[in-house]
Amino acid sequence: MTEQELVWRIAGGSGDGIDSTSQNFAKALMRSGLSVFTHRHYPSRIRGGHTYVEVRAKSEPVKSRGDGYNFLLALGDSFARNPQEEAYYGEEEIKPLTENLDDLREGGIIVYDEGLIEDEDVEDLQERADEEGWHVYPLDLRGMAREHGREVMRNTAGVGATCALLDIELDPFIDLMSEGMGGEILEQNIDILRKARDQVAEMEQDHDLQIPEGSHDEDQVLVSGSTGIAYGALDEGCRFIAGYPMTPWTDVFTIMSQNLPEVGGISEQVEDEIAAAALALGASHAGAKAMSGSSGGGFALMSEPLGLAEMTETPVVLVEAMRAGPSTGMPTKPEQADLEHVLYTSQGDSHRVVFAPGNAAEAYDQARKAFQIAYDYQIPAIVLYDQKLSGELRNVDESHFDREPNPSLGATLTEEDIPDAPHHASGKFQRFLHDPENGVSPRTIPGQKGGRFLATGNEHTPEGHISEDPHNRVMQVNRRERKLGAIREDLDGRERTNQTYHGPEDADYGIVTFGSQQGTVEEAVDRLNEAGHSVKSLGVSDLMPYPEGDVEAFLESVDECLVVEMNSSAQFRGLTQKELGRFGEKLSSLLKYNGNPFEPGEIVEGFETSINGGELPGEETTYLPAAGD
Amino acid sequence: MSSQPTDPFGAIGQNREIEQDEYTPGIEPQATWCPGCGDFGVLKALKGAMAELGRDPEEILLATGIGCSGKLNSYFSSYGFHTIHGRSLPVARAAKLANPDLEVVAAGGDGDGYGIGGNHFMHTARENHDMTYIVFNNEIFGLTKGQTSPTSPKGHKSKTQPHGSAKDPIRPLSLALTSGASYVARTAAVNPNQAKEIITEAVEHDGFAHIDFLTQCPTWNKDAKQYVPYTDIQDSDEYDFDVTDRREASEAMYEAENALYEGEVLTGRFFKDDRPSYGQEKRAVGEMPEQPLAERYFDDDHEWERSYDLLDRHK
């Protein structure tokens, strides 16, 4: 049977060029008219360590990684060569071939570099291949690369072999290589690509797998979640970022830092994350649109500046790229376990706005929305995402980014406005009025005549003076809280909501998720409906202020609902129950926290377990029944 | 390119005659400082210096930390940012980057600047931002009622070090020098004329100017006396060194830091260097705009770049 999709896994060591090769592979397939989606898996090491990227390609839109893969290009880990450390490195060299081999689908293809991997090292390879109907093509990729260029070019040889086996045109690859390199390096790579293709084309082939065909209605671009966030920030006029490197947040920081100088912006790499967040506040206070961000541990350091932003009503956007915790956890593995951390960190009755985009296009939209809300309502807005969304590439309509920039500073006065703004009898400008309509009291910017005020983390009077007067205290707390209601109303009234619905509206069952699992859940919903179930899904993307109306309506419309999230403590389910005060008996949980994002099949299995009872097939995911079940 | 915007910040660069009481808040809050507190001396010297320099109150951003010293901008009326403990410097330096036309001054105590904010002190000095940093050094945590601070002398007894501190105090002047500050001075609240002169010089200096400002705490640090008598090292024949010579400056600092704990108060200018400020360096490598970033947001004619024009690399 010919499969409708390709899931091409390229595996090797960190430093073997897995990332760049897979990116070009995905781009070439996108150019050829296919929809693509990548899933990256890499260790926290500079060189060596098993790394792979899966490129999933179909003619229909792809929203998720697949279940396993059907083509393995195993380059071997060229950096795993420490015979003294047998215990740690012994198996490392062949890991690209052996790791998760069980996930290779029936009838799948294996190409491995016999220049690096000895097949006798791989237990029962032939036997297993016979059982599973795998088609194994040992190729001396290293030898080919050496012969026509340099050894490091064996990834190119692997791509040439792939093209031969799947009957893919070389031209898009040659175009992409020409865009990225030149001179002798380019010539050698093209030579290797062609030679490998020709050599493999002459071999006897016995597989059925083929590349699907497709076409796009409009021009496509290949973007990651991090790109979406950064580009959204740029289009909102963000021209200041401060940060400290930390995986996986570094991607957004890097993209911004590379683009800002070109557009007259400023990027600052500073001594720590406390400074990073404080710098963003300082720049915003002085009249720039500013952001900062980090991942779990770094974001923890931002708790205090976050509270200062809330208290001084200084607009700022922070991004938090979750990775597996606690503490240093697993730096390069995704998890959604910082939800409560981000919602509640910082002392006192503190408030912020939190968005959790479900894909790269939403990452762009919600980064923009975060800036709009932050500056219109003078409140910190956080974009919460994770290592999965950060690095996964997918094709998005180019026109999605064809929008007008919005450099507005929001609730900010110009110098001409200041004389007409409220003033105290003493003549002092009132920065923090007790009772503006939506809670927002417009600010001035240092340098403006007549607008001076003190921004302070202490409780303060309308003029900004430090005060512990009980009446003033209550008025100020109430006003700051009132902003959240206004924000909820604002968000609910927008044309493009932040919630994403999928599946038949009148379905009996529901699946709810937040953030980056959205696409995977949607694919599972499609499969479940095809299999005769009646299911729909809700991907929640604005978490604070919580979209009560949307979630309540969805939960009321279904008999039971499975909540899917990547953590062990069901934080999003807990949030939903806390915010809505009910539905405890309707909500069960499917959790995953082993460092890998859900596969659609796991959600299908989890859903069936929630309906039919019984046990989940493996230990990769965990099912928690609803209250009373 | 966009046309020249009308100046959105009318208070900047006026160079007009300023009366000192323009810095006095209209509704003056009751000062929380004790009678006889050295902090009054900083406030007075700052007002004097800013008036002398003709700085409009609204072109000044005064960012402070937490503690008695952090109240400085409650009693000095300009644009102010009373931040959190130890973090006045990162807030202040970013404001300077966003709008280099602002006169940016940061202030805080010795615990704030040399303790909890020590990392920021080191890095802000290293980067040599064109700003002034006044550290109120009273060798004690005052507002929290008298705990040992990073500048408390070795052996200093307090409720949290009942047997006396086993730590040598930090060397603030030396720390500023090795970190990269391009102007380093020490003055004292009891020496108002020198204090005003030094703040004036520091504000005028194009780089990171650090002032270790000795502010007696009459309530919690009675042992430290009043920082009298003091010696101005520039006026003393005993101390003859070149403030532009890093080695000589370093030696003078070391001596002054030791002397303080032996009852001799050495004040004055310790180091002055004309290396380029961070803003100059950052512009030179093309990572900072020539026009203040903050102005752009008020320029209706500015053409803002779009990410749509960056998409070629994603096709």
Side-chain angles (χ1 to χ4, degrees), chain A residues 27 31 222 231 235 237 239 263-264 267-268 271-272 279 398 402-403 415 447-448 450 452-453 455-456 458, chain B residues 10-11 22 58 77 79-80 82 93-94 119-120 278 282 289 294 296-297 304-307 313-315:
Chain A
K27 220 184 237 187
R31 286 184 181 184
L222 190 67
Y231 285 7
D235 286 352
R239 294 292 181 271
V263 297
S267 167
E268 275 292 292
E271 58 270 28
D272 57 37
L279 262 97
E398 185 189 17
D402 189 6
R403 316 255 191 101
E415 204 167 73
Q448 288 178 333
R452 72 181 103 159
F453 70 96
T456 170
N458 287 63
Chain B
E22 289 192 44
E58 294 187 318
S77 179
Y79 279 95
H82 179 223
R93 75 195 208 221
N119 198 17
H120 309 310
Y278 186 57
K282 210 167 161 72
R296 207 181 303 167
Y297 294 92
W304 290 82
E305 302 83 357
R306 300 196 306 154
S307 69
R313 64 186 80 150
H314 300 283
K315 286 178 185 167

Side-chain angles (χ1 to χ4, degrees), chain A residues 112-226:
Chain A
Y112 70 88
D113 187 352
E114 59 179 353
L116 268 161
I117 302 171
E118 306 279 344
D119 58 357
E120 58 259 33
D121 289 346
V122 185
E123 225 175 297
D124 310 328
L125 180 61
Q126 201 48 56
E127 229 169 88
R128 290 170 71 188
D130 291 344
E131 256 169 50
E132 303 281 346
W134 294 337
H135 308 273
V136 185
Y137 300 95
L139 296 168
D140 184 9
L141 300 172
R142 182 163 71 165
M144 292 184 208
R146 264 189 197 155
E147 193 185 333
H148 305 288
R150 289 157 49 192
E151 191 177 320
V152 291
M153 298 172 181
R154 59 210 183 84
N155 45 13
T156 304
V159 171
T162 303
C163 291
L165 292 169
L166 297 177
D167 204 15
I168 304 175
E169 291 288 321
L170 291 189
D171 292 347
F173 294 93
I174 294 172
D175 290 346
L176 278 164
M177 283 188 213
S178 311
E179 290 163 24
M181 48 182 109
E184 197 190 16
I185 306 261
L186 174 64
E187 278 167 33
Q188 288 175 341
N189 268 294
I190 293 176
D191 202 26
I192 290 168
L193 185 73
R194 289 207 169 107
K195 293 274 171 24
R197 196 268 313 263
D198 295 347
Q199 191 174 324
V200 176
E202 281 168 24
M203 291 169 61
E204 196 180 317
Q205 298 179 14
D206 56 356
H207 58 268
D208 297 326
L209 184 64
Q210 280 179 348
I211 190 78
E213 280 179 15
S215 66
H216 298 296
D217 295 336
E218 55 174 300
D219 289 342
Q220 300 292 301
V221 288
L222 190 67
V223 288
S224 68
S226 289

Side-chain angles (χ1 to χ4, degrees), chain B residues 177-303:
Chain B
L177 180 75
T178 50
S179 299
S182 52
Y183 180 96
V184 184
R186 169 175 271 176
T187 187
V190 289
N191 190 353
N193 292 333
Q194 186 206 47
K196 185 183 130 186
E197 279 169 25
I198 282 182
I199 293 181
T200 307
E201 279 176 33
V203 170
E204 279 193 300
H205 176 73
D206 295 329
F208 186 72
H210 166 231
I211 303 169
D212 185 67
F213 203 124
L214 298 168
T215 50
Q216 71 279 2
C217 179
T219 305
W220 295 107
N221 200 11
K222 295 191 174 75
D223 300 348
K225 302 184 189 124
Q226 298 290 309
Y227 301 115
V228 279
Y230 52 82
T231 305
D232 186 325
I233 47 169
Q234 265 81 36
D235 294 342
S236 161
D237 295 337
E238 237 180 285
Y239 303 95
D240 182 25
F241 73 103
D242 177 1
V243 294
T244 64
D245 185 301
R246 184 172 286 275
R247 284 167 195 274
E248 290 184 25
S250 171
E251 236 170 81
M253 288 174 179
Y254 191 80
E255 210 166 313
E257 285 157 351
N258 287 344
L260 185 66
Y261 300 107
E262 289 153 12
E264 192 185 0
V265 183
L266 301 178
T267 63
R269 295 84 173 155
F270 285 84
F271 184 63
K272 193 167 164 35
D273 184 22
D274 57 3
R275 77 176 175 111
S277 71
Y278 186 57
Q280 288 172 291
E281 300 275 22
K282 210 167 161 72
R283 280 196 200 94
V285 296
E287 295 214 332
M288 187 166 156
E290 293 295 330
Q291 289 295 316
L293 173 59
E295 284 182 1
R296 207 181 303 167
Y297 294 92
F298 294 93
D299 175 5
D300 294 339
D301 296 328
H302 185 80
E303 292 205 11

Side-chain angles (χ1 to χ4, degrees), chain A residues 27 30-31 176 179 219-224 227 231-232 234-240 255 257 259 261-272 274-276 278-290 304-305 308 312 314 364 398-399 401-405 407-409 412-416 418 424 426 428 444-458 463 465-466, chain B residues 6-12 14 16 21-29 56-62 64 66 70-71 73-85 87 89-99 102 116-117 119-124 126-127 129 278 282 285-289 291 293-299 302-315:
Chain A
K27 220 184 237 187
M30 178 186 81
R31 286 184 181 184
L176 278 164
E179 290 163 24
D219 289 342
Q220 300 292 301
V221 288
L222 190 67
V223 288
S224 68
T227 305
Y231 285 7
L234 288 172
D235 286 352
E236 284 297 310
C238 174
R239 294 292 181 271
F240 188 98
I255 298 167
S257 301
N259 285 293
E262 308 302 317
V263 297
I266 297 170
S267 167
E268 275 292 292
Q269 184 179 320
V270 296
E271 58 270 28
D272 57 37
I274 308 174
L279 262 97
L281 290 190
S284 173
H285 184 73
K289 292 184 92 168
E304 218 190 345
L308 181 66
T312 58
T314 307
Y364 172 83
E398 185 189 17
S399 62
F401 297 91
D402 189 6
R403 316 255 191 101
E404 285 307 306
S408 164
L409 287 179
T412 302
L413 300 174
T414 64
E415 204 167 73
E416 291 72 52
I418 295 173
H424 182 262
S426 67
K428 183 137 201 259
T444 52
I445 302 294
Q448 288 178 333
K449 248 184 172 7
R452 72 181 103 159
F453 70 96
L454 177 67
T456 170
N458 287 63
E463 297 75 43
H465 293 302
I466 294 170
Chain B
T6 51
D7 184 5
F9 301 116
I12 290 176
Q14 301 297 299
R16 60 183 178 89
D21 49 8
E22 289 192 44
Y23 306 113
T24 305
I27 349 160
E28 193 165 7
D56 191 296
E58 294 187 318
E59 67 180 319
I60 300 169
L61 176 64
L62 177 57
T64 59
I66 295 296
K71 302 278 176 62
N73 48 16
S74 286
Y75 317 129
F76 182 92
S77 179
S78 65
Y79 279 95
F81 205 137
H82 179 223
T83 70
I84 42 180
H85 200 26
R87 320 299 169 201
L89 287 174
V91 170
R93 75 195 208 221
K96 185 74 185 177
L97 289 169
N99 191 352
L102 291 173
I116 191 167
N119 198 17
H120 309 310
F121 177 51
M122 185 165 79
H123 284 270
T124 311
R126 165 197 171 208
E127 292 170 4
H129 292 267
Y278 186 57
K282 210 167 161 72
V285 296
E287 295 214 332
M288 187 166 156
Q291 289 295 316
L293 173 59
E295 284 182 1
R296 207 181 303 167
Y297 294 92
F298 294 93
D299 175 5
H302 185 80
E303 292 205 11
W304 290 82
E305 302 83 357
R306 300 196 306 154
S307 69
Y308 188 68
D309 298 321
L310 302 171
L311 293 177
D312 274 352
R313 64 186 80 150
H314 300 283
K315 286 178 185 167

Side-chain angles (χ1 to χ4, degrees), chain A residues 305-589:
Chain A
L306 175 69
L308 181 66
E310 291 167 7
M311 194 56 157
T312 58
E313 300 179 71
T314 307
V316 71
V317 172
L318 302 176
V319 304
E320 213 266 40
M322 294 180 280
R323 64 190 217 184
S327 192
T328 308
M330 301 196 285
T332 60
K333 301 293 181 285
E335 203 166 82
Q336 295 180 299
D338 292 351
L339 174 61
E340 291 181 349
H341 174 50
V342 165
L343 291 174
Y344 307 122
T345 187
S346 201
Q347 67 272 28
D349 288 317
S350 62
H351 305 290
R352 76 288 320 250
V353 177
V354 181
F355 294 101
N359 56 51
E362 281 188 10
Y364 172 83
D365 296 342
Q366 287 173 29
R368 292 201 66 161
K369 229 170 265 184
F371 274 94
Q372 288 157 19
I373 297 294
Y375 280 78
D376 284 349
Y377 295 90
Q378 302 175 349
I379 191 169
I382 299 168
V383 179
L384 178 67
Y385 63 117
D386 56 51
Q387 186 272 350
K388 166 178 145 52
L389 181 57
S390 170
E392 72 190 15
L393 295 166
R394 62 186 294 178
N395 56 299
V396 175
D397 292 344
E398 185 189 17
S399 62
H400 187 82
F401 297 91
D402 189 6
R403 316 255 191 101
E404 285 307 306
N406 170 43
S408 164
L409 287 179
T412 302
L413 300 174
T414 64
E415 204 167 73
E416 291 72 52
D417 298 335
I418 295 173
D420 299 328
H423 284 67
H424 182 262
S426 67
K428 183 137 201 259
F429 165 66
Q430 291 179 305
R431 163 71 181 90
F432 305 100
L433 287 170
H434 279 163
D435 48 6
E437 207 176 322
N438 58 0
V440 182
S441 192
R443 63 178 181 144
T444 52
I445 302 294
Q448 288 178 333
K449 248 184 172 7
R452 72 181 103 159
F453 70 96
L454 177 67
T456 170
N458 287 63
E459 189 56 273
H460 42 266
T461 66
E463 297 75 43
H465 293 302
I466 294 170
S467 166
E468 295 184 353
D469 174 76
H471 171 70
N472 176 69
R473 164 69 176 176
V474 172
M475 295 299 277
Q476 296 290 26
V477 169
N478 291 353
R479 178 179 60 76
R480 289 192 295 265
E481 279 189 4
R482 211 157 62 233
K483 292 199 282 189
L484 288 181
I487 292 167
R488 183 70 266 154
E489 217 170 285
D490 179 338
L491 289 172
D492 285 343
R494 291 183 184 218
E495 206 176 306
R496 299 164 71 96
T497 94
N498 294 317
Q499 274 56 260
T500 311
Y501 300 89
H502 190 76
E505 219 170 291
D506 60 350
D508 299 333
Y509 293 95
I511 303 181
V512 177
T513 192
F514 80 99
S516 70
Q517 299 311 301
Q518 181 182 299
T520 312
V521 164
E522 289 179 0
E523 181 165 336
V525 164
D526 289 343
R527 287 198 214 169
L528 286 163
N529 283 300
E530 277 163 32
H533 292 286
S534 172
V535 199
K536 62 180 176 179
S537 69
L538 168 63
V540 178
S541 293
D542 53 350
L543 301 172
M544 185 75 92
Y546 191 81
E548 284 177 28
D550 291 344
V551 183
E552 201 159 45
F554 181 87
L555 293 180
E556 274 173 356
S557 76
V558 294
D559 297 339
E560 280 177 42
C561 187
L562 182 68
V563 185
V564 174
E565 53 190 311
M566 279 194 294
N567 58 55
S568 72
S569 51
Q571 296 181 18
F572 182 64
R573 181 172 89 166
L575 173 69
T576 300
Q577 285 177 223
K578 173 181 172 247
E579 291 289 337
L580 302 181
R582 58 197 182 104
F583 297 115
E585 72 296 337
K586 237 183 209 188
L587 301 174
S588 56
S589 278

